[in-house]
Amino acid sequence: MTNKDDNQQDLHVDEEVNETEVKEETESANETNETNETNETNETTETTETSELDALKAELASKEDQIIRLSAEIQNINRRNQSEREASAKYRSQNLAKAILPAVDNLERALDIEANDDASKAIHKGIEMVHASLLQAFAEEGIEAIDPKGETFDPNFHQSVSAVPAEDGQQTDEIVQVYQKGYKLNDRVLRPAMVIIAQ
C-alpha cells in the first residue's frame, strides 16, 4: 500500500470516528432534551398537584370554619330556647293571675264588711275560705302580695296615687296607706301597689 492509500484510509477512519462522535453527541443531546422535557412535565405536574392540594386545604379550612360557626350558632339557639323554656315555666301563671287579681280584690273588700247576723257570718266565712284558697294557690305558683305600708316608696313596686303632708315620725316618701295591694310573680311585678305617700 502506498502513502496515499494510508492517508485515505486514515481519513476514512477519521470520518467514521467523527460520524460516530456526532451520532453520540446528537443522541446525548436528544436524551438531555427528553430528560429536560420530562423534568419540565414533572415540574408542571407537581406545580398543578401542589396548587390543587393548596386549594383543597383552603376549602377544608373554610368548611371547618363553617362547621365551628354553625356549631356555635346551634349552641346559642339551644341556650336561648332553654332560657325561654325556663322563663315560660317560671311565669306560666302570669296571665291567669292578672285575670284573677280583681276577684281577689273584691273578696278582700267583701271581707272588710262587718257581718252582724248568722247568715251574713256564714257568707263571710265562705268568702274567707275562697280567699284563703286563692292565696294558697298564688303562693304555690310563686305569687306574692306587695303590701308596703310603712315602707319607703319604690317606683319599681309601688304606684303613688296621692300624697299627704308628713306627720310626726313619718319620713318623706314613706307609704302611709295602701289603697290597693300589688302582686309579683317571682321577680316580675304583676301589678304595682297603689299607695298614698307622705311628703
Side-chain angles (χ1 to χ4, degrees), residues 13-31:
V13 171
D14 283 344
E15 283 177 9
E16 286 179 10
V17 169
N18 283 343
E19 283 178 16
T20 305
E21 286 176 0
V22 168
K23 279 184 183 178
E24 286 175 359
E25 285 176 8
T26 304
E27 287 175 2
S28 175
N30 286 341
E31 286 176 5

Side-chain angles (χ1 to χ4, degrees), residues 57-73:
K57 283 181 180 178
E59 186 178 346
L60 177 64
S62 172
K63 296 297 181 189
E64 286 175 347
D65 184 55
Q66 283 180 339
I67 289 169
I68 290 169
R69 289 177 188 273
L70 290 173
S71 176
E73 189 173 332

Side-chain angles (χ1 to χ4, degrees), residues 69-79:
R69 289 177 188 273
L70 290 173
S71 176
E73 189 173 332
I74 288 169
Q75 287 177 353
N76 288 339
I77 289 170
N78 287 337
R79 272 191 232 117

Side-chain angles (χ1 to χ4, degrees), residues 81-94 185-186 188:
N81 286 341
Q82 178 68 24
S83 172
E84 287 173 2
R85 281 193 302 272
E86 288 173 358
S88 177
K90 188 175 182 181
Y91 302 114
R92 71 181 181 277
S93 56
Q94 177 176 336
L185 172 60
N186 297 316
R188 185 179 289 180

Side-chain angles (χ1 to χ4, degrees), residues 155-171:
N156 295 315
F157 298 101
H158 314 131
Q159 179 181 351
S160 175
V161 293
S162 181
V164 294
E167 296 178 1
D168 289 341
Q170 291 180 334
Q171 298 177 359

Side-chain angles (χ1 to χ4, degrees), residues 91 93-109 111 130-148 154-159 178-195:
Y91 302 114
S93 56
Q94 177 176 336
N95 292 334
L96 179 61
K98 282 183 177 181
I100 293 175
L101 287 179
V104 172
D105 294 336
N106 289 334
L107 290 173
E108 289 175 352
R109 286 187 196 103
L111 290 173
V130 171
H131 183 255
S133 295
L134 285 173
L135 293 181
Q136 177 63 33
F138 277 5
E140 289 172 2
E141 291 297 316
I143 299 168
E144 300 173 26
I146 302 172
D147 194 2
D154 182 351
N156 295 315
F157 298 101
H158 314 131
Q159 179 181 351
V178 177
Y179 179 71
Q180 183 181 55
K181 283 191 228 176
Y183 288 89
K184 64 180 181 174
L185 172 60
N186 297 316
D187 56 351
R188 185 179 289 180
V189 175
L190 297 176
R191 181 180 77 188
M194 297 175 72
V195 297

